[in-house]
Amino acid sequence: MGRKVTVATCALNQWALDFEGNLQRILKSIEIAKQKGARYRLGPELEICGYGCWDHYYESDTLLHSLQVLAALLESPVTQDILCDVGMPVMHRNVRYNCRVIFLNRRILLIRPKMALANEGNYRELRWFTPWSRSRQTEEYFLPRMIQDVTKQETVPFGDAVLATRDTCIGSEICEELWTPQSPHIAMGLDGVEIFTNASGSHHVLRKAHARVDLVTMATTKNGGIYLLANQKGCDGDRLYYDGCAMIAMNGAVFAQGSQFSLDDVEVLTATLDLEDVRSYRAEMSSRNLAASRASPYPRVKVDFALSCHEDLLQPLSEPVEWRYHSVGEEISLGPACWLWDFLRRSQQAGFFLPLSGGLDSAATACLVHSMCCQVCEAVRNGNQEVLADVRTLVSEAGYTPEDPRELCGRLLTTCYMASENSSQETSDRARELAQQIGSHHIGLSIDPAVTAVMSIFSVVTGKRPLFAAHGGSSKENLALQNVQARLRMVIAYLFAQLSLWARGAPGGLLVLGSANVDESLLGYLTKYDCSSADINPIGGISKTDLRVFIEFCIERFQLPALQRILAAPATAELEPLADGQVSQTDEEDMGMTYAELSVYGRLRKIAKTGPYSMFCKLLHLWRDVCTPRQVADKVKRFFSKYSVNRHKMTTLTPAYHAESYSPDDNRFDLRPFLYHVD
């Protein structure tokens, strides 16, 4: 009598609307699952079309191509003799649903629509899909002709049902449903479901892995059972990075942990577990068993197939593992670096161009590219052929094999220090030293001739010459003179990104990297259309506090002593005249608040959802030992007034890696007006 089951879950780097590539990755994962002896394979949410299709879900093309991929999967010899569980959008009676399609040997067993849709933060599923609201009910779904031709079925069950195989019972949960107060796994477990599956499209946020692992282990601690979580990985073509972390748990313990950040497009986890362990775990939970005896039954789809074999006495079982979490510094070094790699290879550019100021933010961005190069070299060393092929395409050299991250960085990253008469020798030295240590191709240039030329145009037209405040000018003149330097840096950055490789006799163009952190964006402490404007920004969702932690991590991990000096230096834009050769302006002085305070305002404004009055009430308590109520009030007013005046800058914010839940990105995440009554 067989009772040991081998099940597989995976993390796939799917790309929105890349139907052909998505199909190949799904097939490869099924093939690996079978090689590892699995009889059931779970894939990520909406894996057929890619999760981030957004408004393309409205288009019939997206539904059509998803069906074509499903037909190809059903017909493939790879999918024979294994239960396959794939994700795609399905239209049923003119309503679009986010579904799991479960099939075996060219026959669809069940289409299970998602019942709780993700609709907060970065998610807008209710915009495109409708939740299935009829608990424990199914309908007949009439299959499109192209699928009927393959399966020879006219209709299949559609709705909230579970699968009864010869030896066990399997129930689906889809992503958000695990996070809801009344998760389906509770009712399914009480009705005898032993294997729960969760197909996710869950993005990375710093410190989020703990919540995910806790939810899965807790689900099986209370209820008993085997839980499989699959997830998307990679950038999927947008601001989010899906971070894998596939896992298999049973009875409160983890038995398989997938990587959280990796350059492998296909990662398959399997575990061999004993169904009797689930049954004996549940046996003495009398409160659970009392509830189970009263449970309303689910419709069961009978499947003439077993996940276990008859003779499995000698088959070895999987052992529990201790989940290994990354530190915050490590998460930053891996997540945005993987995102940069996906963006680079998929945009088919030849590398990155980064204005490197010698300050902390641009240094952190440079370190992320260096970290990306380290991961690429490591993946190639580990035999990843896709990464090797991508690198060769990027550097236009068919026989190239990257071995040294510094050498690869020299090919993929061009850094540029753009000096003006207000720049100090100190920042120039720091930028050059860091570039040398990470191996980037470094350029030093002066923007003064361009600034002089632009200002002379203004003077010729108006007959007036503005002055810095240090030379007797007004604050309006002072700001305009700072902004013209900042904006010219952006123009020069794009010119060099387009032509610097051409000037060196190499093909291709470069993606311009921005390096404004989340706190500066929140306050609007940046010039609109200056060198914060770029193609993408890997640190735009990371706080200054976390960036400092990351820089400390890089000093150790990558042996970059140049970062010591950068970490010790005060943050400055260097846009005002020097005082005796020394920096006269610091960011925190300019902003009128510290970066630590900004982090607190950001979290209260977005995560705790406080307006000015509620924020004042919370900070009265939080800062009672350091500020009087009057000082707290003044600080809150100052923050909201600066935030309101500069909110318009968020409409042009460079697309940034989403790492922090207080991101002010108004394009997708933080939907607020950008013209405020400032008083």
Side-chain angles (χ1 to χ4, degrees), residues 248-485:
I248 300 174
M250 179 175 74
N251 299 347
V254 175
F255 283 78
Q257 171 182 358
S259 64
Q260 190 175 6
F261 309 102
S262 103
L263 301 186
D264 298 338
D265 281 349
V266 177
E267 185 182 1
V268 179
L269 290 190
T270 56
T272 302
L273 301 165
D274 192 337
L275 292 170
E276 286 304 314
D277 287 342
V278 174
R279 292 158 194 167
S280 60
Y281 184 88
R282 287 176 172 176
E284 58 181 351
M285 300 169 77
S286 64
S287 55
R288 178 213 165 266
N289 299 337
L290 271 171
S293 66
R294 296 192 293 266
S296 308
Y298 275 79
R300 274 169 160 69
V301 176
K302 289 182 187 151
V303 186
D304 188 16
F305 185 74
L307 298 195
S308 56
C309 323
H310 275 303
E311 301 300 322
D312 62 5
L313 270 176
L314 299 176
Q315 191 178 9
L317 288 167
S318 301
E319 296 289 328
V321 296
E322 189 68 39
W323 192 279
R324 187 192 164 273
Y325 294 100
H326 294 291
S327 68
V328 168
E330 211 173 5
E331 277 193 82
I332 296 172
S333 81
L334 295 169
C338 289
W339 183 76
L340 282 172
W341 173 246
D342 266 1
F343 240 97
L344 183 59
R345 68 195 181 108
R346 287 174 170 175
S347 62
Q348 298 182 327
Q349 296 301 297
F352 298 114
F353 183 90
L354 172 66
L356 188 62
S357 69
L360 188 109
D361 294 337
S362 61
T365 306
C367 289
L368 284 172
V369 179
H370 180 67
S371 171
M372 179 196 86
C373 293
C374 291
Q375 288 183 70
V376 167
C377 290
E378 192 185 342
V380 170
R381 266 197 307 278
N382 295 339
N384 189 320
Q385 292 304 305
E386 284 97 348
V387 171
L388 181 59
D390 285 332
V391 173
R392 288 174 171 172
T393 304
L394 289 171
V395 301
S396 305
E397 206 176 301
Y400 176 68
T401 301
E403 283 161 15
D404 173 24
R406 285 189 76 252
E407 187 272 339
L408 179 61
C409 203
R411 288 170 178 258
L412 295 183
L413 177 62
T414 299
T415 49
C416 180
Y417 181 79
M418 302 189 204
S420 77
E421 62 182 8
N422 302 319
S423 305
S424 63
Q425 190 56 46
E426 175 69 13
T427 49
S428 168
D429 292 347
R430 293 200 303 257
R432 191 180 60 252
E433 200 183 337
L434 178 63
Q436 216 169 348
Q437 288 174 17
I438 62 172
S440 66
H441 178 85
H442 190 63
I443 301 167
L445 56 84
S446 167
I447 64 168
D448 287 337
V451 175
T452 305
V454 170
M455 293 320 297
S456 65
I457 293 172
F458 181 81
S459 297
V460 166
V461 173
T462 63
K464 289 184 180 292
R465 182 169 289 281
L467 297 173
F468 280 107
H471 303 149
S474 65
S475 60
K476 189 185 281 285
E477 293 165 63
N478 199 55
L479 190 58
L481 286 168
Q482 289 184 63
N483 285 346
V484 79
Q485 297 167 72

Side-chain angles (χ1 to χ4, degrees), residues 361 479 482-483 486 515-528 530 532 544 571-576 585-593 595 598 638-639 642-643 645-650 653 664:
D361 294 337
L479 190 58
Q482 289 184 63
N483 285 346
S515 57
N517 63 59
V518 73
D519 298 324
E520 289 172 348
S521 301
L522 173 67
L523 200 64
Y525 184 66
L526 46 90
T527 303
K528 203 174 187 180
D530 72 341
S532 63
K544 193 78 162 190
T572 171
E574 289 199 327
L575 295 170
E576 293 191 44
Q585 163 200 41
T586 70
D587 292 353
E588 291 190 331
E589 242 173 78
D590 264 12
M591 295 189 301
M593 57 194 78
Y595 280 108
L598 253 179
R638 181 170 180 78
F639 165 70
K642 290 240 175 193
Y643 164 81
V645 166
N646 289 317
R647 179 69 195 169
H648 64 96
K649 294 178 183 177
M650 297 309 93
L653 211 57

Side-chain angles (χ1 to χ4, degrees), residues 90-101:
V90 176
M91 194 196 283
H92 173 55
R93 298 188 177 174
N94 287 15
V95 178
R96 285 171 170 77
Y97 295 96
N98 171 350
C99 294
R100 303 307 299 168
V101 178

